[in-house]
C-alpha cells in the first residue's frame, strides 16, 4: 500500500530521532514536513533557512537513510523552506504540523513507560523524587550530597553514607537518586537493596555453592545502594561479601550509597576495614525536622494527597508530631479518612484533637505480630489456621498478603521473620506481597480504606 507523504514523514521522523540528539531533533525538525513527492524526488520543508542549512549539511545522511528505510528505495532529496505562514495556506501540509509533536509525544510516552517499568523492576517508589523532598536545615547537607551524587555518580562523593533515625527521609532521598538517573536513562544499571535482601541472596548463594552469579550481579552494575545496612552489623560473612563488592565497584568509580540508622563509628561490630571505607567517603546525617520544615512537608503531602485542610489543623499536626515524618503522613491519612470514610465535609481542630488527643504524647500502644494477624483474620473472616495454611484461594492468599504487608510496614520486621510468622519458607513471597499491597493501595480506593481501617483497629 502506498503511504501518504504525511505518513512517510512521520515514520522517517521516528527513525531520525533515534539517530540524533534530542536537542537537535527538537530544534530543527519541529514543523518540518514533506512538501512534495515526484518520482524519486522528495522535497523536505524546513521551518527556516537555518534549519534547511542543518538538513543539508549535518543531517543529510540521517534523513536520507530514514527515508530509504521507510519507502524501501533510495530517494533524491531536496530541501526548501516552508514558513509557518505558508504552511497555513496549504491545507495538505497543514496537517503535517502536528506530526513532529506526535512523534515527540510518542517517544516521551515510551520513555515514561520504560522508566516506570525500570522503577518497578528495581523495587523503588516513583513517588520519591527530589522535587517533592522538602529541604530544611535538618536535611540540607544530606539532600545536597544526594543531589550531587545523582548528577555526577561515582565522582561527587563516593561512597555516600547517610544516617539518621527512622522516618526522616533517608529512603526517600536514595530512591530520589535512583529515580533521577532512571528518568534520564531507564537502562541505568542500579542495584537497590535493603541489606536483608543482600543477606538473604548471599545465604542462598553460599548454600547452593554458587556465589559467582551473585557476585557478578552486583559488580556489573553502575551503582550500588544498600538501605538500612545496620542489619548486617553482626553478620560476618555478609560483611566480607559487602567489602569485596565494595572494593571491586569502587575501583571502577562506581557509585556506592549506604544508609544506616547510625554513623559508622557507632557500629562497633562492623569490621574495621569496612567501617574505614565508609568513613573514607562522605558521611552525612539527617536530623529531626524543625517546625517550619515539618509544616512545609505537611503542606506538600496534603497537596499530593489532594487534601484541603484548614491552616490550624496543619499547625496542629506540625506541633503534635515532632520526630517522625512517617507518623505525620499517618496522621494526615487518618484525618483524610474522616472525610472519605467518616463522611465529614469540614474537619475542625476539635475533630483533630479528638483523633490524636491534645499535646500530650500519644499513648504508646505496642502492637505485636499476633495482634496484626488476628485483626486481619477478623476483618476478612478467616481462621488463624487458614491464614497460616498452604491454601491459596484468592481470598485467603490476599488476606495473607495484607498481614505480611502490615507486619513489615508497621513492625519493621525482617522479611524472613514475616515469612516465618505466617508459616512460609520463602522471604521473597513477603517482598512481593508488600509491593503488591503498596501498589494496590495507590490504585484501588477500597484496599486503601481497608488498610486504614485495619490500622485504626490496631492503634485505637
Ligand atoms: P527513612 O528511610 O529515613 O526511615 P523515609 O524516607 O521512608 O524515612 O520517609 C518516611 C516518609 O516521610 C516518606 O513517605 C517520605 O516521603 C517522607 N519524608 C521524609 N522526609 C521528607 C521531606 N524532607 N520532604 C518530603 N517528604 C519527606
Ligand atoms: Mg528507610
Amino acid at each position: 500500500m502506498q503511504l501518504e507523504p504525511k505518513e512517510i514523514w512521520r515514520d522517517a521522523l521516528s527513525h531520525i530521532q533515534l539517530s540524533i540528539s534530542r536537542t537537535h531533533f527538537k530544534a530543527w525538525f519541529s514543523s518540518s514536513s514533506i512538501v512534495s513527492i515526484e518520482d524519486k524526488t522528495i522535497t523536505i520543508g524546513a521551518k527556516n533557512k537555518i534549519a534547511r542549512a542543518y538538513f543539508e549539511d549535518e543531517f543529510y545522511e540521517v534523513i536520507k537513510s530514514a527515508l530509504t528505510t521507510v519507502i524501501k528505495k533510495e530517494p533524491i532529496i531536496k530541501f526548501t523552506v516552508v514558513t509557518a505562514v505558508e504552511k497555513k495556506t496549504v491545507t495538505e501540509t497543514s496537517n503535517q504540523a502536528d506530526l513532529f509533536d506526535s512523534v515527540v509525544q510518542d517517544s516521551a510516552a515510551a520513555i515514561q513507560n520504560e522508566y516506570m517499568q525500570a522503577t518497578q523492576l528495581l523495587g523503588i517508589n516513583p513517588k520519591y523524587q527530589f522535587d517533592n523532598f522538602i529541604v530544611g536545615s535538618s536535611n540540607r547537607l544530606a539532600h545536597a550530597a544526594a543531589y550531587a551524587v545523582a548528577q555526577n555518580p561515582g565522582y561527587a562523593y563516593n561512597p555516600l553514607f547517610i544516617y539518621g533515625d527512622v522516618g526522616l527521609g533517608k529512603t526517600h532521598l536514595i530512591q530520589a537518586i535512583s529515580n533521577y538517573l532512571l528518568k534520564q536513562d531507564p537502562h541505568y544499571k542500579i542495584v537497590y537493596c535493603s541489606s536483608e535482601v543482600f543477606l538473604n541472596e548471599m545465604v542462598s548463594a553460599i548454600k547452593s555453592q554458587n556465589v559467582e552469579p551473585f557476585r557478578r550481579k552486583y559488580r556489573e552494575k553502575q551503582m550500588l545502594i544498600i538501605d538500612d545496612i545496620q542489619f548486617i552489623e553482626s553478620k560476618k560473612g555478609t560483611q566480607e561479601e559487602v567489602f569485596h563488592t565494595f572494593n571491586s565497584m569502587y575501583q571502577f568509580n562506581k557509585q556506592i550509597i549506604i544508609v544506616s540508622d547510625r554513623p559508622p563509628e557507632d557500629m562497633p561490630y562492623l569490621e574495621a576495614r569496612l567501617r574505614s571505607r565508609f568513613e573514607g567517603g562522605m558521611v552525612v546525617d539527617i536530623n529531626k525536622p524543625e517546625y517550619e520544615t515539618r509544616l512545609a512537608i505537611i503542606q506538600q503531602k496534603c497537596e499530593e494527597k489532594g487534601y484541603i485542610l484548614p491552616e490550624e489543623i496543619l499547625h496542629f499536626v506540625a506541633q503534635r508530631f515532632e520526630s517522625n515524618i512517617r507518623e505525620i503522613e499517618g496522621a494526615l491519612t487518618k484525618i483524610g479518612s474522616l472525610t472519605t470514610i467518616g463522611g465529614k465535609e469540614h474537619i475542625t481542630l476539635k475533630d483533630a484533637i479528638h483523633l490524636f488527643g491534645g499535646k500530650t504524647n500519644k499513648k504508646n500502644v505496642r502492637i505485636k505480630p499476633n495482634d496484626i494477624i488476628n485483626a486481619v483474620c477478623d476483618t476478612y473472616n478467616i481462621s488463624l489456621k487458614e491464614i497460616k495454611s498452604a491454601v491459596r484461594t484468592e481470598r485467603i492468599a490476599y488476606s495473607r498478603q495484607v498481614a505480611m504487608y502490615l507486619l513489615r510496614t508497621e513492625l519493621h520486621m525482617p522479611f524472613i521473620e514475616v515469612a516465618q510468622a505466617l508459616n512460609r519458607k520463602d522471604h521473597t513471597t513477603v517482598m512481593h506481597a508488600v509491593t503488591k499491597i503498596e501498589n494496590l493501595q495507590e490504585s484501588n480506593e477500597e484496599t486503601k480504606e481497608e488498610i486504614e481501617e485495619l490500622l485504626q483497629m490496631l492503634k485505637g
Side-chain angles (χ1 to χ4, degrees), residues 128 132-136 139 164-173 227-228 259 286 293 297 300-301 304 324-326 329:
Y128 293 156
N132 60 6
F133 186 87
I134 305 288
V135 182
N139 58 27
D165 284 340
V166 67
L168 297 183
K170 303 183 296 296
T171 298
H172 186 136
L173 266 186
D227 202 349
D228 288 333
V259 166
I286 296 196
T293 312
I297 292 175
Q300 162 80 27
K301 298 291 172 191
E304 282 172 22
N324 181 332
I325 296 162
R326 199 170 292 132
E329 286 189 310

Side-chain angles (χ1 to χ4, degrees), residues 113-315:
N113 220 342
E114 268 193 285
Y115 158 66
M116 290 307 283
Q117 278 175 359
T119 60
Q120 241 178 17
L121 224 65
L122 198 57
I124 62 166
N125 192 335
K127 263 194 340 205
Y128 293 156
Q129 302 280 349
F130 281 117
D131 57 14
N132 60 6
F133 186 87
I134 305 288
V135 182
S137 55
S138 57
N139 58 27
R140 180 161 289 122
L141 198 57
H143 172 267
Y147 194 65
V149 163
Q151 288 188 307
N152 203 357
Y155 294 93
Y157 305 110
N158 203 14
L160 171 64
F161 190 104
I162 304 178
Y163 71 91
D165 284 340
V166 67
L168 297 183
K170 303 183 296 296
T171 298
H172 186 136
L173 266 186
I174 54 175
Q175 296 203 359
I177 298 176
S178 320
N179 278 311
Y180 184 94
L181 289 163
L182 289 177
K183 257 192 190 162
Q184 289 178 342
D185 174 9
H187 302 289
Y188 196 84
K189 287 194 255 168
I190 303 175
V191 196
Y192 177 93
C193 53
S194 73
S195 55
E196 278 174 74
V197 176
F198 192 87
L199 186 85
N200 291 330
E201 284 191 7
M202 203 197 65
V203 169
S204 57
I206 290 175
K207 259 195 200 149
S208 64
Q209 302 198 319
N210 193 9
V211 220
E212 223 12 74
F214 166 79
R215 290 193 173 157
R216 220 177 308 121
K217 168 179 163 191
Y218 285 90
R219 292 175 197 174
E220 268 174 357
K221 307 286 172 156
Q222 289 162 283
M223 179 180 271
L224 169 69
I225 306 180
I226 303 187
D227 202 349
D228 288 333
I229 197 154
Q230 70 269 11
F231 286 123
I232 66 161
E233 219 193 319
S234 55
K235 314 276 190 320
K236 201 151 178 304
T238 325
Q239 286 194 17
E240 188 82 32
E241 200 58 46
V242 172
F243 185 73
H244 287 305
T245 307
F246 223 93
N247 281 344
S248 61
M249 290 185 79
Y250 185 72
Q251 244 177 344
F252 293 102
N253 284 327
K254 293 175 175 184
Q255 181 69 45
I256 296 156
I257 303 169
I258 308 285
V259 166
S260 173
D261 67 346
R262 67 200 88 151
E265 66 263 27
D266 286 352
M267 302 176 78
Y269 299 110
L270 203 66
E271 229 189 302
R273 53 181 185 161
L274 195 50
R275 188 164 56 233
S276 76
R277 263 274 181 254
F278 291 163
E279 283 169 341
M282 174 80 161
V283 179
V284 287
D285 63 343
I286 296 196
N287 291 304
K288 294 192 177 25
E290 59 287 7
Y291 188 80
E292 282 68 27
T293 312
R294 294 204 297 278
L295 196 60
I297 292 175
I298 291 168
Q299 283 161 343
Q300 162 80 27
K301 298 291 172 191
C302 282
E303 210 169 285
E304 282 172 22
K305 290 170 191 275
Y307 296 161
I308 301 170
L309 298 175
E311 281 285 309
E312 53 179 11
I313 292 190
L314 307 185
H315 283 279

Side-chain angles (χ1 to χ4, degrees), residues 379-401:
T379 303
Y380 297 104
N381 200 16
I382 59 173
S383 70
L384 212 53
K385 206 169 143 204
E386 281 173 317
I387 205 168
K388 294 190 181 188
S389 71
V391 176
R392 290 213 214 161
T393 58
E394 201 181 327
R395 192 170 57 94
I396 295 177
Y398 175 74
S399 324
R400 200 176 285 134
Q401 287 168 334

Side-chain angles (χ1 to χ4, degrees), residues 421-440:
L422 289 156
N423 223 0
R424 271 14 223 187
K425 286 204 190 76
D426 187 2
H427 69 277
T428 54
T429 323
V430 182
M431 288 156 61
H432 289 310
V434 172
T435 320
K436 181 179 157 188
I437 302 296
E438 254 167 15
N439 291 342
L440 265 179

